[in-house]
Amino acid sequence: MTMKKLNLFALAAAALLILTSMKQDRVITIFMVGDSTMANKDISGDKQERGWGMALQCYFDDGILIDNHAVNGRSSKSFIDEGRWQTVLDKIRPGDYVIIQFGHNDEKPQPDRHTDPGTTFDANLRKMVRESRERGATPILMNAVVRRNFLAVVPQNDDDEALRNTTAAEIDKPDKKGVQEEGDILVDTHGAYLLSPKTVSRDAGAIFIDANKITHDLEQGLGREGSKRLHMIFKKGEHPSLPEGRNDNTHYSVYGAHQVAKLLAEEIVKEVPALRSHLVDTTIVSVATNGIGDYFDVQKAVDAQPDGKKVTIQLFAGEWQRPVLGKKKIKFVLRKGAHWK
């Protein structure tokens, strides 16, 4: 074989090796489109609200990138009309996934958001499924997560976003005339909007995850009082960022977002076996500077763990000060970009 042929062979082999390596190292993106129950949140001033999609990266390894495009107050209609859906489409590559979860705001009467189950809501979901597939992605439809509603008569709520203006003074008013007292049974607030994602997924042969049932069982299992911890329900003075407290039964706290993310991550890998190898043990504790974790500070994460119990703590990108362990049995996992000082 001549030297020229040897060089050409070597170049071809190197190119094949590079392409093979790139394919093996390919990070799969899970895009997320939805509303405030899923969205990334402002963490300045130690704000406590989180979307479950914000926490999802904690339960998938570095072979998966969670790209969360969910936005507060959006319906399937406004998400499309504002060009947000097109932004997601422009980023999709073959082999990616798209989680689609709407309903909370499609229910609202405002014309820029409202859709109807069985017609316009279904049409928007079908569009998202079809266009995801056209770009080589796998769509995953979810119905809306539950609102925490233990009232027999569902309260009229034209805007979930306004719940951020509520205070602890509006919690528990059974002594006041005309105010309902909470019972022990969680009552649905979504109605037929829960059916559209299931119908569209059945007709299109797409993956469907019943997020409403999963979160219903979580909240009902915790009960009337225990379920409050999942949401932005804080007594006056309970947290520095909420001096007047908060009474918001829709949006998640840090704890709530992680509980929901764990359950939905486990369900995702059941429905998509190809992602199972990327699932992180959902008992893990996460520390991250960008608010996706359970904690911002390693020492606080360590201090919160019981003595003598083996616990795994993962640290996301950043430089971390080694904590004092004392009697804690902690295993640390450093995610991509994380290192000790």
Side-chain angles (χ1 to χ4, degrees):
M1 185 178 289
T2 65
M3 185 61 67
K4 184 176 181 180
K5 287 183 177 179
L6 281 172
N7 288 337
L8 288 172
F9 178 79
L11 286 171
L16 179 62
L17 182 64
I18 291 169
L19 288 171
T20 302
S21 176
M22 287 174 65
K23 186 175 181 180
Q24 290 175 343
D25 293 340
R26 159 85 157 92
V27 174
I28 298 167
T29 301
I30 298 178
F31 293 95
M32 307 187 74
V33 299
D35 55 42
S36 59
T37 59
M38 178 193 276
N40 292 339
K41 302 302 170 82
D42 176 14
I43 62 171
S44 64
D46 200 20
K47 293 182 178 68
Q48 294 296 292
E49 186 181 330
R50 302 289 189 272
W52 72 264
M54 191 173 179
L56 191 62
Q57 186 70 73
C58 297
Y59 307 106
F60 284 98
D61 65 21
D62 291 329
I64 299 292
L65 172 66
I66 305 298
D67 191 356
N68 191 1
H69 290 256
V71 181
N72 293 358
R74 268 53 181 191
S75 67
S76 64
K77 173 179 168 55
S78 60
F79 197 89
I80 292 170
D81 290 349
E82 293 173 3
R84 298 179 186 277
W85 175 240
Q86 187 61 50
T87 297
V88 174
L89 289 177
D90 291 343
K91 296 181 69 176
I92 290 175
R93 295 182 296 171
D96 289 336
Y97 295 83
V98 184
I99 297 176
I100 304 161
Q101 184 185 62
F102 291 98
H104 274 84
N105 297 303
D106 288 78
E107 304 167 8
K108 305 306 183 186
Q110 294 89 338
D112 62 332
R113 295 194 287 181
H114 183 77
T115 65
D116 291 306
T119 56
T120 48
F121 187 30
D122 296 46
N124 289 339
L125 297 178
R126 283 195 296 270
K127 171 184 170 69
M128 291 179 175
V129 168
R130 182 182 67 254
E131 293 180 350
S132 295
R133 285 173 165 169
E134 287 172 354
R135 285 157 177 79
T138 299
I140 301 172
L141 283 167
M142 294 185 181
N143 52 12
V145 294
V146 296
R147 293 186 181 91
R148 182 191 167 278
N149 177 57
F150 285 90
L151 301 173
V153 179
V154 177
Q156 293 298 312
N157 175 21
D158 289 341
D159 190 354
D160 283 311
E161 304 307 303
L163 293 172
R164 296 190 183 91
N165 299 323
T166 61
T167 66
E170 297 169 58
I171 300 174
D172 300 330
K173 298 178 180 178
D175 57 322
K176 293 192 177 182
K177 187 177 180 181
V179 175
Q180 295 185 72
E181 189 170 359
E182 287 189 333
D184 295 318
I185 304 299
L186 194 68
V187 178
D188 173 57
T189 66
H190 295 301
Y193 287 89
L194 298 178
L195 303 179
S196 291
K198 186 174 184 179
T199 300
V200 171
S201 64
R202 181 196 63 209
D203 294 346
I207 295 166
F208 170 69
I209 291 177
D210 196 342
N212 187 266
K213 183 182 186 305
I214 290 168
T215 52
H216 171 278
D217 292 349
L218 170 64
E219 304 235 10
Q220 185 65 70
L222 289 171
R224 178 177 60 188
E225 292 303 317
S227 61
K228 289 180 179 179
R229 190 181 171 199
L230 298 171
H231 294 277
M232 289 297 293
I233 300 175
F234 291 84
K235 296 178 181 177
K236 185 175 181 178
E238 184 178 352
H239 195 275
S241 69
L242 296 164
E244 297 301 317
R246 178 72 56 80
N247 184 25
D248 180 344
N249 290 284
T250 293
H251 301 110
Y252 292 123
S253 63
V254 175
Y255 173 78
H258 278 270
Q259 295 306 303
V260 172
K262 289 176 187 180
L263 293 172
L264 294 181
E266 291 170 344
E267 194 65 23
I268 288 167
V269 301
K270 286 181 186 177
E271 296 296 330
V272 188
L275 294 176
R276 181 173 294 279
S277 63
H278 295 285
L279 183 69
V280 170
D281 181 354
T282 53
T283 64
I284 204 162
V285 176
S286 301
V287 184
T289 59
N290 62 357
I292 69 171
D294 303 277
Y295 300 91
F296 289 100
D297 180 84
V298 182
Q299 189 65 60
K300 288 183 179 179
V302 168
D303 293 344
Q305 309 313 312
D307 289 346
K309 181 180 178 181
K310 293 181 180 179
V311 176
T312 300
I313 296 178
Q314 63 179 343
L315 308 180
F316 282 85
E319 186 176 60
W320 301 99
Q321 180 69 47
R322 289 186 180 274
V324 177
L325 297 182
K327 297 180 180 180
K328 314 290 185 180
K329 293 184 178 180
I330 308 293
K331 174 187 175 182
F332 290 100
V333 174
L334 300 181
R335 297 288 294 260
K336 183 178 180 181
H339 61 274
W340 296 111
K341 288 184 179 180

